[in-house]
Amino acid sequence: MKKTLFSVAACMMAAVSFAQDVKIAKAQEQIDEGKFKEAQATIAEVLANPKTKKLAYAYNVAGQVELRLLSAEADKYNERSPLDTAVFISSMDKAVEYFTKSYELDHQPDAKGKVNAKFDYGTKKNQYDIGEGNGNVEWMKKIMMNYVLCAQFSMQNGDEKEAYKYYLKHLDLPKSPLFTPAQTDSFYNAGKDIYEKVGYFATQIAYKEKWYDKVLESVDVVCKSEDRITREDGYWMKASSLQHMGDTAKWLNTLKEAMENTENVNYPQIILKYYYDRHQQDEAMKVANDFVAKAPGNKMAHYIKGVVLMDQNKDAEAMQSFNKSLEIDPEFVEAIANVGVLNFNEIRELNQKATTDNRDPKYKEQQQQLKDKLTTTRTYFEKVQTLAPEKSELWQDKLANIDNLIAVVDTNLAEVAKRDKK
């Protein structure tokens, strides 16, 4: 009796499986006939309560349906016609989900431990006849860029949180299990500029929303950008997020990375301030020396060492460091300005040692030395003004001060000259 019951149950299961296989085939026919909505409804019945051994095929067909619906909306977009962005976004999500699921099922080993995948590229005809070039992997490759459009549509709809989600999906899609590591690398390399921009957009949204942990999910691709401003912004958002999260160690490491990979003097200045505020000048010098040892050809390395030395009143050594920085980049305005400051320190010393007695035989010579030094020093700040007029804090007050001093020296020399004529 039990055998009979089991036999009947087996027959019923086989009947259900056969009925679902028929529905899968029907959905495929509907796709071929261009009846995409009908095919979507048919395959949905199968996926709702799957009782078929052809489940990998079922998900493949489900993906095909969403691909066709997605393509129809994409055609409207390319033709600049009104499109249903909700359908576009939904079909993109479902297509990725279904092709991924089909791939995973298709790659499950059989009882002998072998994998006999049928739906990767479809380069060989099989019993499902999906056609050459129409497999899960190939289809996924064709739709990879559509997540960017999903994000843009979300932005147009005023939903930045959704936009962030789809920017992040775009960044992660090359890591799909459908792709080999070599393919993943090739996607990132081929679309480097796009991935950097997408990473920047995602990071901006996360930073604006104060999702500091999420900033860290996308910011690294921004920090690797070849665009200077993009890279600097990336490091700033990363460092600021870590600071908000209270992770001082990672914050400092990020600032050091930024110092080494950007030309923004704010980063080394923030690092130095951190150590100076804690009276850790030795640590500041260690950072500078390590940087020079690591990157002797980096102008920022010599610049930061010069700043540390200047703060220690080691002007001669600081001058050497700034000059090394200027050998690498003769137009490095912060280094030029600091050379000017060091020259002005010499002027201060000369002035302190100079006699104030205009009848002293050395008076005229010393005043002329002061004027020559002031005139030379002025050229540094003039150059800074020419190269970076917007950075008035580096040159404006200095030039005004020097001009006032030159005027005083000229007056002193004129009085001596007038007296000598009598």
Side-chain angles (χ1 to χ4, degrees):
M1 184 64 181
K2 288 184 179 180
K3 287 185 178 180
T4 303
L5 287 174
F6 284 136
S7 177
V8 171
C11 289
M12 289 178 64
M13 288 296 294
V16 172
S17 177
F18 177 75
Q20 291 212 325
D21 291 349
V22 169
K23 286 184 179 180
I24 297 172
K26 180 181 178 182
Q28 183 73 72
E29 289 177 6
Q30 289 170 327
I31 292 173
D32 296 338
E33 295 170 358
K35 299 176 181 178
F36 307 133
K37 286 292 185 180
E38 291 88 337
Q40 187 182 47
T42 301
I43 202 66
E45 294 177 12
V46 177
L47 299 182
N49 188 24
K51 300 292 183 181
T52 175
K53 294 181 180 180
K54 299 178 180 179
L55 198 52
Y57 182 41
Y59 276 105
N60 176 273
V61 171
Q64 290 185 55
V65 174
E66 299 303 332
L67 185 69
R68 299 310 194 279
L69 294 171
L70 178 68
S71 296
E73 297 303 322
D75 288 342
K76 295 177 188 176
Y77 175 80
N78 293 329
E79 294 167 2
R80 304 196 178 203
S81 301
L83 72 152
D84 191 329
T85 58
V87 170
F88 185 98
I89 293 172
S90 174
S91 290
M92 178 62 186
D93 269 338
K94 289 178 181 177
V96 170
E97 176 190 348
Y98 294 152
F99 289 140
T100 301
K101 187 67 174 178
S102 177
Y103 177 90
E104 291 171 346
L105 292 167
D106 198 29
H107 280 252
Q108 287 183 354
D110 59 20
K112 296 181 180 179
K114 293 183 178 181
V115 174
N116 183 26
K118 300 179 179 68
F119 305 106
D120 283 358
Y121 289 94
T123 53
K124 294 181 181 179
K125 297 289 183 180
N126 57 59
Q127 60 179 312
Y128 308 115
D129 192 24
I130 63 172
E132 187 171 350
N134 289 330
N136 293 321
V137 177
E138 196 67 23
W139 275 323
M140 189 77 92
K141 286 166 64 177
K142 290 177 181 177
I143 63 173
M144 286 185 68
M145 300 305 296
N146 285 333
Y147 270 140
V148 175
L149 290 176
C150 291
Q152 291 176 351
F153 293 150
S154 297
M155 287 292 287
Q156 290 171 10
N157 294 333
D159 194 337
E160 287 194 345
K161 293 182 179 180
E162 278 294 290
Y164 171 82
K165 180 176 76 174
Y166 287 109
Y167 281 136
L168 215 61
K169 284 189 175 187
H170 177 78
L171 290 176
D172 290 339
L173 193 55
K175 301 173 187 175
S176 165
L178 276 72
F179 304 128
T180 65
Q183 286 175 317
T184 297
D185 290 342
S186 70
F187 295 143
Y188 283 129
N189 290 332
K192 188 174 184 297
D193 290 343
I194 294 176
Y195 285 110
E196 286 176 0
K197 289 177 182 176
V198 168
Y200 186 71
F201 295 149
T203 304
Q204 273 192 320
I205 293 173
Y207 187 75
K208 176 184 174 184
E209 296 290 338
K210 299 182 180 181
W211 302 333
Y212 298 121
D213 56 335
K214 292 186 179 295
V215 167
L216 303 182
E217 293 182 25
S218 56
V219 74
D220 284 342
V221 69
V222 185
C223 294
K224 294 175 183 177
S225 173
E226 294 180 3
D227 179 72
R228 178 180 62 83
I229 295 176
T230 300
R231 188 168 63 251
E232 288 182 3
D233 285 352
Y235 276 115
W236 181 258
M237 288 187 285
K238 183 175 183 179
S240 180
S241 296
L242 288 166
Q243 190 175 33
H244 280 291
M245 295 169 70
D247 196 329
T248 303
K250 288 185 179 179
W251 173 71
L252 275 173
N253 285 334
T254 298
L255 289 175
K256 290 175 183 177
E257 288 177 16
M259 178 179 69
E260 295 172 6
N261 294 295
T262 74
E263 297 182 359
N264 191 325
V265 295
N266 288 325
Y267 294 119
Q269 288 169 352
I270 293 170
I271 293 172
L272 294 182
K273 184 179 185 304
Y274 173 82
Y275 288 120
Y276 289 158
D277 287 349
R278 288 156 180 77
H279 307 290
Q280 297 176 345
Q281 281 80 357
D282 290 345
E283 188 63 30
M285 180 55 78
K286 181 178 182 303
V287 170
N289 284 331
D290 288 347
F291 192 5
V292 171
K294 183 178 180 180
N298 189 315
K299 67 179 184 181
M300 292 294 293
H302 299 288
Y303 171 78
I304 188 175
K305 184 170 182 178
V307 171
V308 175
L309 290 166
M310 190 164 67
D311 287 339
Q312 294 177 352
N313 297 317
K314 297 178 180 179
D315 286 6
E317 294 177 59
M319 183 71 81
Q320 291 178 358
S321 290
F322 290 133
N323 283 333
K324 285 180 181 178
S325 184
L326 290 171
E327 287 175 10
I328 299 168
D329 181 3
E331 296 187 347
F332 187 6
V333 292
E334 282 80 8
I336 297 170
N338 279 343
V339 169
V341 170
L342 291 175
N343 273 272
F344 199 84
N345 289 345
E346 291 182 31
I347 293 169
R348 189 178 289 110
E349 291 180 12
L350 285 173
N351 191 46
Q352 289 173 348
K353 294 177 181 178
T355 180
T356 57
D357 183 359
N358 64 4
R359 295 184 181 278
D360 190 308
K362 296 180 181 179
Y363 182 81
K364 182 178 178 180
E365 178 185 354
Q366 290 175 342
Q367 290 296 304
Q368 189 59 53
Q369 286 179 342
L370 281 170
K371 182 174 180 179
D372 291 344
K373 193 67 177 178
L374 283 164
T375 302
T376 299
T377 302
R378 193 182 197 286
T379 62
Y380 293 108
F381 296 112
E382 282 180 335
K383 187 172 183 179
V384 174
Q385 180 186 20
T386 301
L387 293 172
E390 74 283 359
K391 296 184 177 181
S392 58
E393 71 278 4
L394 294 179
W395 56 265
Q396 192 169 56
D397 290 345
K398 279 82 172 179
L399 283 177
N401 197 12
I402 288 172
D403 288 342
N404 288 335
L405 291 173
I406 289 175
V408 171
V409 172
D410 281 342
T411 299
N412 293 340
L413 289 171
E415 289 177 354
V416 172
K418 182 178 179 180
R419 185 193 65 204
D420 289 347
K421 284 183 180 181
K422 292 180 180 180

